[in-house]
Amino acid sequence: MRRSTWKKRKSIIMGMICLLLFVQEAPYVSADGKTDAYHYSFWGDAVPSPAAYEATTIITGKKLNTTPMKEPSDMHVTANQHVFVLDSGNGRIIEMDRNFKLVRTIDSFEQEGKEDHFKNPQGLYVTEKGHLLVADSDNHRVVHLDEQGKLVKIVSEPKSDLLKADFQFKPMRIVMDKGERIYVMAEGVFDGFMEFSADGTFSSFIGANRVQVDPVEYLWKRFATREQRSQMVMFTPTEFTNLDMDEEGFIYATSGDRGKDPVKKLNAQGTDILRREGYQTPQGDLLYTQEAGPSRLIDVDVGDSDMYSVLDSSKGRIFTYNGDGYLLHIYGGIGNRLGQFNTPVALERAGDRMLVLDKALGEITVFQTTEYGRTLHEAVRSYYNGDEDQSSVLFAQAAEMNANLEYAYAGIGKALLRQKEYAESAKYFKRSMEPKGYSKAFLLYRKELMREHFSWMMSGIFLAVAAIVTVIIVRRQKRRTTNAGIK
Amino acid sequence: MQASSKQLYQYPLHLIFHPFDGYWELKYERNQRNSLLIAFMILVLLVITKILHAQYSGFLINLSNPKYLNSLLEMLYVIIPVLFWCVANWSLTTLMDGEGKFSEIFMSTCFALVPLLLIHFPWIWLSLVISAQETAFYYFSNALAIAWTVYLLFVGNMTVHQYTPAKTVLTMLLTLVAMAFMAFLCLLFFSLVQQIVSFVVTIYQELVLRG
C-alpha cells in the first residue's frame, strides 16, 4: 500500500518536473560555443545555429607593410581574388593578391600631363578587365582608370534637364556593367541611381525607391494650412546605401532605413525583380529592440549562384540569402573580439572567404567558411545548377549539422519526391513549412494510397450504403405494420 | 416538454434549417432551461472545435504556431465575442424596445453558431487529406458557415425582439459598434487598473525601502 502511494507520488513528481521543463524555454545557447551564430525559423524566432563562417585573420596597413589605412570606405575583389581597398583618408587604392600581399598602391594618376589626386573618394569598382572606377567624392567626379592605372576618362558635372540647376554631383558608390555603362549612387539624389552611358554622358535615373507615406501623417498634412505644411518634413523616398552588380548585370541595391524592401534587385529598366519566396523577406534582423531599431543595411555583395549577403551596420551582422530569398546564415557582430567590428562599411566575397572592411579601425576581417558553411553553399550551388540529387544529399548533411535549418528539409523532400517516396517527402516538406511541395507530395501519396485500396474501400462504401438502405426499408415496413395494427 | 437525448441534437438541427419556426419555438414554446442547457453545450463544443482546429487541422490551412497555442486563450476567443455580442445587443435592444430577455438573446446567439460548429468540426480531419488546390473548398465552406450564422443571427434577432427586418439589420450593425465601444472601455478600464496597481506597488516599495 505504502509502496503504491510512493509510486503514485513519484510519478506525480516526475510529471511536475517534466511540466516545469516544458514551461521553461530552452535557454539560448550558441551551437558550437564559440560564435554567436543564430538563425531565424519559419515563425520568426531566433534559433541557435552553427557558424557558417569563422574569422581567421585581420588585415591592417601594418601587415601589408604600408602606412595604416585611414577611414577606408570601399573594397572590391576581382575574379582572381585580388583585393582592392579604397583608403579614403589617404586618398589611395591598395591592391593585394589572394594571399593578402601588397601588389601596389595607386594614389595618383596622370591627367593631361599633370599629376592628379583623389579627394576623399568613397566608392570603388573594378571591372572584369581590371579597370578601376573611383567615385572621387569631394572632387565631384568619377575617375575611370585602366588596369595600369592610366586615366581612361573622367565623368563630372552631368548635364541634363532631369537635374536641377544647382545640382552638386557627389558620387558615393559606383558600378559598371559589361556595356561600360556606369551606375552611380550620388549623395542627395532621391531619384535612384544615375546611369551614365559608355562615353560618360548622363542618360537617366533608374530604380528610384517609392515614397512611403504614413497614412496618419498624410491625414495631418491634408488638414494643415499651407504655412504649416511648409514647416513639415517632405515625403521623400529613401536613399540607397549601396549597390553591387551580379554576373548577369543585375544591380543589387540596399536602402538604409527599413521601408518595405530594404534589398532590391534591379533589372535594366530599374524594376525590382528580387525573389522573396523565403519565410521572411530579406531585411536583416527580424527581432530588434525599440531603441536599436531595425537593421540598417549598408552594403550588399552578390556571390555566385544568386546568393547574396548584406551587411547591417547597426549590429555589424552579415545576412546571407539565396536567390529565392531564403535566409542561409547570419554571423558577425559589433564588439572587440576577432570576428566582430566597430564600424563595418563594406563586404566582399573572395571565393570561400568573406572580407569585411572596418572604417574606424582601418582593417579588414577575413572570414573563412566552416564545414557547415561550405556544405550549405555547395548545396545551394548544386540546386542552382540543377543537380538536385547532389543538392539533396548536401542539404541532408547541412540539416544534420543544423536541425534548425528548415529550408534544407525542402531540399530533402524534393529528392524523396523524385524517388517516389511520397509519404516521406510530404513529411519533409511539412517540416520545411513548404505548402506547395507538401501539397504536391501529398497528392501523389494520396493517389497511390487510393489506387492500392480502392477496391475494398469502394466495396465497403457500397456495402454500408446497402445496409443503411435495408435498415430504412425494414423500419418503414415495421412502422407500417404497427400502424396498421393500431388502426 | 421532456428533454430526451434525441431532442438535444434534433432541436438545434431543426432550428438551423427552419430558423423562423425554430426561433419562434425557442421564444414561446420551449422549456427555457433545456434550451439554455443546449446553448451552453453548443458554446462548449465550439470552444473544443476551435482548440482542436488550432492544434490538429492540416498545415495547409492552419498556419498558427503550435508552440504558442494556448487553449485558454482559444477559449476566450470564442466566449468573449459571444458575450460581448449578447451584452451589447441586450443593452441596445432595451433602449430600442426589443422584447427579448438576456437569456433569450444568449440562446438565440448560441443556436446561430451551430453551422460554424457543424462545418468546422469535420474540417479538422478533412483538412488533413486535402491538397493546396482543394483548400478552396475549405475557404468556401468557411464563408458559407459564416454567412449561414449571420443569417441565423438575423432571424434570431428579428424573432426574439419582434423587429422588422430593417430594424434588425440596423440593430445588428449598431451592436457591432457597441461591441467596439465596449472593447475600448474594457481596455481603458484594465489599463487604468494596471496603473493604479503599479502606483500602489511603487508606494509600497518606497515605504519598504525607506523603512
Side-chain angles (χ1 to χ4, degrees):
Chain A
M1 190 67 212
R2 256 194 84 152
R3 229 172 118 187
S4 76
T5 53
W6 166 238
K7 227 178 194 174
K8 217 182 251 168
R9 205 172 286 164
K10 203 166 126 191
S11 67
I12 290 170
I13 289 168
M14 285 306 281
M16 283 170 107
I17 289 169
C18 285
L19 276 179
L20 275 177
L21 284 177
F22 273 112
V23 167
Q24 201 131 50
E25 246 186 71
Y28 177 75
V29 194
S30 64
D32 53 0
K34 262 194 294 187
T35 54
D36 312 321
Y38 63 103
H39 199 257
Y40 283 109
S41 74
F42 171 82
W43 304 109
D45 298 326
V47 289
S49 149
Y53 278 95
E54 249 173 358
T56 49
T57 43
I58 286 177
I59 309 295
T60 57
K62 206 177 145 198
K63 238 180 204 171
L64 294 168
N65 291 321
T66 167
T67 45
M69 287 188 258
K70 201 170 146 199
E71 302 208 323
S73 57
D74 204 1
M75 184 168 57
H76 201 273
V77 176
T78 55
N80 57 359
Q81 298 198 15
H82 275 227
V83 183
F84 290 79
V85 181
L86 184 66
D87 189 1
S88 310
N90 295 322
R92 61 176 177 176
I93 299 161
I94 302 171
E95 182 187 349
M96 42 190 137
D97 65 9
R98 56 180 304 145
N99 301 315
F100 304 112
K101 291 276 175 306
L102 189 68
V103 176
R104 58 174 172 169
T105 57
I106 303 166
D107 55 2
S108 63
F109 56 92
E110 216 166 80
Q111 188 192 6
E112 290 162 1
K114 277 187 291 175
E115 198 175 68
D116 205 342
H117 295 273
F118 302 117
K119 196 171 164 199
N120 191 24
Q122 292 293 317
L124 172 74
Y125 189 76
V126 186
T127 64
E128 278 168 29
K129 283 189 277 180
H131 285 209
L132 297 168
L133 281 141
V134 183
D136 197 358
S137 306
D138 283 6
N139 283 331
H140 310 294
R141 63 182 181 184
V142 172
V143 179
H144 182 178
L145 305 174
D146 68 6
E147 63 272 28
Q148 257 84 47
K150 288 211 183 75
L151 185 73
V152 177
K153 65 168 182 272
I154 282 182
V155 177
S156 63
E157 297 306 320
K159 298 264 178 303
S160 167
D161 296 339
L162 295 170
L163 300 167
K164 277 186 212 150
D166 59 344
F167 175 72
Q168 267 257 338
F169 182 52
K170 194 176 179 189
M172 299 302 283
R173 295 283 189 266
I174 190 165
V175 295
M176 185 188 242
D177 70 4
K178 283 188 184 120
E180 302 223 320
R181 276 180 293 266
I182 303 172
Y183 298 91
V184 177
M185 186 194 102
E187 197 179 80
V189 174
F190 297 98
D191 305 297
F193 296 118
M194 299 173 80
E195 186 187 322
F196 293 86
S197 53
D199 59 355
T201 52
F202 173 71
S203 50
S204 67
F205 289 110
I206 69 156
N209 277 320
R210 287 274 182 85
V211 181
Q212 308 255 336
V213 180
D214 181 10
V216 178
E217 210 171 310
Y218 181 73
L219 197 74
W220 273 120
K221 230 164 234 201
R222 290 303 298 264
F223 288 126
T225 61
R226 191 179 293 264
E227 285 77 35
Q228 284 170 327
R229 220 173 296 165
S230 68
Q231 303 251 317
M232 286 181 185
V233 193
M234 275 213 302
F235 294 131
T236 43
T238 49
E239 263 181 297
F240 284 113
T241 49
N242 217 320
L243 77 168
D244 196 11
M245 187 168 272
D246 71 359
E247 291 149 1
E248 291 157 78
F250 292 114
I251 296 175
Y252 283 71
T254 48
S255 26
D257 52 14
R258 174 141 77 178
K260 224 174 87 220
D261 296 310
V263 188
K264 283 198 167 86
K265 180 182 181 180
L266 305 172
N267 65 8
Q269 285 178 310
T271 12
D272 181 19
I273 53 162
L274 190 74
R275 283 169 66 79
R276 299 185 175 85
E277 309 280 311
Y279 301 131
Q280 294 95 17
T281 55
Q283 56 185 303
D285 266 321
L286 301 174
L287 303 173
Y288 50 86
T289 57
Q290 201 62 45
E291 306 99 75
S295 293
R296 190 181 145 74
L297 305 180
I298 51 153
D299 197 4
V300 52
D301 177 70
V302 194
D304 62 315
S305 313
D306 272 357
M307 283 186 274
Y308 56 95
S309 302
V310 289
L311 177 66
D312 165 15
S313 71
S314 66
K315 285 279 164 55
R317 284 171 190 150
I318 296 137
F319 301 83
T320 306
Y321 300 90
N322 76 356
D324 288 334
Y326 283 94
L327 182 63
L328 296 179
H329 47 72
I330 306 169
Y331 59 95
I334 299 283
N336 296 318
R337 283 189 291 153
L338 178 64
Q340 295 179 325
F341 328 108
N342 183 304
T343 40
V345 283
L347 176 75
E348 276 294 323
R349 187 206 299 257
D352 261 354
R353 291 168 302 182
M354 190 66 103
L355 314 179
V356 179
L357 183 65
D358 197 315
K359 187 168 192 163
L361 302 177
E363 58 186 30
I364 302 169
T365 310
V366 182
F367 287 89
Q368 179 73 45
T369 44
T370 59
E371 196 197 340
Y372 167 67
R374 274 193 297 278
T375 315
L376 188 55
H377 290 169
E378 215 36 65
V380 173
R381 243 168 243 145
S382 357
Y383 184 69
Y384 179 80
N385 296 327
D387 187 358
E388 296 201 359
D389 295 315
Q390 170 78 4
S391 90
S392 69
V393 171
L394 290 163
F395 271 130
Q397 276 175 26
E400 211 153 279
M401 288 184 254
N402 179 11
N404 286 329
L405 191 72
E406 289 156 323
Y407 163 64
Y409 294 121
I412 304 170
K414 272 172 202 154
L416 286 168
L417 189 68
R418 247 193 332 282
Q419 290 158 22
K420 299 200 160 59
E421 301 272 346
Y422 302 130
E424 277 291 298
S425 165
K427 215 166 87 188
Y428 273 103
F429 275 122
K430 193 173 172 181
R431 261 176 104 176
S432 176
M433 303 307 279
E434 210 60 61
K436 261 185 220 155
Y438 168 81
S439 174
K440 206 167 163 188
F442 181 78
L443 257 182
L444 289 165
Y445 172 58
R446 198 175 66 180
K447 204 184 257 172
E448 196 182 67
L449 215 64
M450 288 295 262
R451 205 164 277 165
E452 222 171 281
H453 302 291
F454 187 75
S455 53
W456 69 260
M457 270 163 98
M458 214 48 217
S459 37
I461 289 171
F462 182 76
L463 280 178
V465 169
I468 289 168
V469 168
T470 15
V471 165
I472 288 170
I473 289 171
V474 166
R475 268 196 169 180
R476 221 173 256 171
Q477 210 72 29
K478 239 187 201 165
R479 205 176 292 158
R480 204 168 287 165
T481 48
T482 46
N483 282 356
I486 286 164
K487 264 180 189 171
Chain B
M1 216 173 265
Q2 207 52 244
S4 70
S5 62
K6 204 171 170 187
Q7 260 197 334
L8 279 184
Y9 66 86
Q10 251 179 1
Y11 174 58
L13 289 183
H14 169 74
L15 185 137
I16 62 170
F17 290 111
H18 307 91
F20 287 98
D21 291 352
Y23 277 120
W24 183 268
E25 268 184 51
L26 183 77
K27 190 168 165 67
Y28 294 112
E29 292 167 17
R30 288 185 62 87
N31 181 340
Q32 295 281 305
R33 263 190 54 186
N34 279 339
S35 302
L36 207 60
L37 190 72
I38 297 173
F40 273 116
M41 273 165 57
I42 290 168
L43 210 55
V44 169
L45 284 175
L46 196 65
V47 166
I48 292 172
T49 309
K50 185 97 183 16
I51 294 169
L52 287 179
H53 196 273
Q55 174 75 50
Y56 293 112
S57 57
F59 106 108
L60 286 178
I61 54 154
N62 181 19
L63 277 181
S64 53
N65 190 349
K67 197 172 148 195
Y68 297 122
L69 175 70
N70 185 342
S71 297
L72 284 175
L73 270 183
E74 295 289 327
M75 196 184 278
L76 290 184
Y77 290 150
V78 176
I79 291 174
I80 293 220
V82 171
L83 217 61
F84 264 48
W85 168 269
C86 293
V87 172
N89 193 276
W90 176 76
S91 324
L92 267 176
T93 49
T94 21
L95 298 175
M96 296 170 71
D97 19 272
E99 287 181 12
K101 289 180 282 189
F102 185 78
S103 68
E104 283 168 2
I105 294 168
F106 176 71
M107 283 185 294
S108 71
T109 308
C110 285
F111 275 93
L113 298 176
V114 171
L116 284 185
L117 185 70
L118 281 184
I119 290 176
H120 276 194
F121 195 68
W123 267 113
I124 297 169
W125 286 277
L126 268 179
S127 66
L128 294 174
V129 294
I130 55 168
S131 66
Q133 293 97 308
E134 288 147 17
T135 50
F137 292 111
Y138 169 77
Y139 292 116
F140 172 72
S141 59
N142 224 346
L144 194 74
I146 288 167
W148 197 351
T149 295
V150 169
Y151 171 67
L152 288 180
L153 268 179
F154 168 76
V155 177
N157 247 294
M158 206 157 75
T159 316
V160 164
H161 298 303
Q162 296 291 307
Y163 279 165
T164 56
K167 197 171 178 188
T168 315
V169 171
L170 182 72
T171 320
M172 285 171 78
L173 290 178
L174 281 176
T175 306
L176 287 181
V177 175
M179 277 169 78
F181 192 64
M182 276 168 63
F184 170 70
L185 282 184
C186 282
L187 284 180
L188 193 69
F189 175 74
F190 283 120
S191 105
L192 281 179
V193 167
Q194 210 171 15
Q195 291 202 1
I196 290 170
V197 167
S198 77
F199 174 69
V200 172
V201 166
T202 321
I203 286 183
Y204 171 77
Q205 275 176 342
E206 196 91 345
L207 287 175
V208 166
L209 290 172
R210 298 266 162 132

